[in-house]
Amino acid sequence: TAGITQAPTSQILAAGRSMTLRCTQDMRHNAMYWYRQDLGLGLRLIHYSNTAGTTGKGEVPDGYSVSRANTDDFPLTLASAVPSQTSVYFCASSDGESSYNEQFFGPGTRLTVL
Amino acid sequence: GQNIDQPTEMTATEGAIVQINCTYQTSGFNGLFWYQQHAGEAPTFLSYNVLDGLEEKGRFSSFLSRSKGYSYLLLKELQMKDSASYLCAVEDSNYQLIWGAGTKLIIKP
């Protein structure tokens, strides 16, 4: 089982350009999340989705948008990238039905905005 | 505000024991998680505590005191492969995880 996959692995993007980070899971998990991880800071939640068709804003949603058309996919879009969005982005999922909310992470996308 | 505090870095010797502390102040509490993250890789789940006390899982144990807003991760019989960052996260009243910045553990031979 692949678990969670993310694409691309890394990307260099010019400021002002748009980009979509892809995330796909094959575990049929209800909940999915997008985090960014920056040196010296904890993982920060950008957006989340508790189930297909619904999304919510996390701690740092500005400049990002998401959609959840189906259970498996949860793409993250940067409409007009800025250098402060340089980060490592992790997608995660959880089944939402266990006694606790263990999250499973994808391998991450390293994004550099110049 | 919500806050998770962990030491930035710790060093320990192969074969020894190390304790990584985590203190938290969050809006609500629905459990505390420890994750391991090797450099350049994704975090992976280590342990979960929701009740006070010690949870043991092989060489790793995790302790929780809700009244003190405190947890620790105890690693025994340290191996070189345990060199990694250890992330403490609290599930708040909205069932979202609030993450600490992580503790980088360096193991020396």
Side-chain angles (χ1 to χ4, degrees):
Chain A
T1 307
I4 301 183
T5 58
Q6 292 184 236
T9 302
S10 65
Q11 183 75 43
I12 298 174
L13 187 66
R17 301 296 294 268
S18 66
M19 179 174 184
T20 295
L21 280 61
R22 300 186 297 278
C23 174
T24 300
Q25 54 105 356
D26 63 2
M27 298 177 282
R28 307 302 294 171
H29 282 174
N30 288 320
M32 297 187 74
Y33 313 85
W34 273 106
Y35 292 96
R36 58 179 291 173
Q37 187 175 40
D38 302 290
L39 196 63
L41 300 177
L43 289 162
R44 291 184 291 169
L45 184 65
I46 304 170
H47 285 286
Y48 65 93
S49 169
N50 288 330
T51 189
T54 69
T55 62
K57 294 182 179 180
E59 179 186 356
V60 288
D62 294 343
Y64 306 95
S65 63
V66 292
S67 61
R68 187 87 185 277
N70 57 59
T71 298
D72 298 345
D73 301 301
F74 191 43
L76 177 74
T77 297
L78 288 68
S80 179
V82 295
S84 62
Q85 292 178 310
T86 294
S87 188
V88 180
Y89 291 85
F90 287 104
C91 180
S93 71
S94 63
D95 64 14
E97 296 177 3
S98 299
S99 58
Y100 58 88
N101 189 25
E102 178 187 348
Q103 295 186 8
F104 297 82
F105 285 80
T109 293
R110 184 174 296 274
L111 179 66
T112 302
V113 182
L114 301 176
Chain B
Q2 310 206 90
N3 196 47
I4 311 284
D5 285 320
Q6 317 177 224
T8 301
E9 186 174 297
M10 299 182 70
T11 301
T13 304
E14 189 177 16
I17 299 173
V18 71
Q19 177 175 311
I20 302 174
N21 296 326
C22 171
T23 58
Y24 63 89
Q25 294 173 312
T26 57
S27 55
F29 179 86
N30 282 308
L32 186 143
F33 293 80
W34 284 96
Y35 279 74
Q36 181 189 59
Q37 185 177 25
H38 285 100
E41 297 183 7
T44 55
F45 171 80
L46 282 179
S47 69
Y48 171 76
N49 295 69
V50 66
L51 300 176
D52 289 353
L54 189 68
E55 294 283 342
E56 297 187 78
K57 190 184 292 186
R59 294 189 298 115
F60 293 6
S61 302
S62 55
F63 171 84
L64 175 67
S65 169
R66 288 172 297 172
S67 63
K68 295 182 179 178
Y70 168 70
S71 173
Y72 67 72
L73 180 69
L74 192 71
L75 291 74
K76 304 176 185 176
E77 302 169 12
L78 285 169
Q79 302 175 11
M80 297 304 293
K81 67 179 182 180
D82 297 330
S83 292
S85 289
Y86 291 86
L87 314 181
C88 175
V90 171
E91 189 171 41
D92 68 8
S93 56
N94 294 318
Y95 297 96
Q96 300 296 345
L97 290 184
I98 309 300
W99 296 82
T103 299
K104 183 179 180 180
L105 178 63
I106 300 168
I107 310 296
K108 295 185 174 181

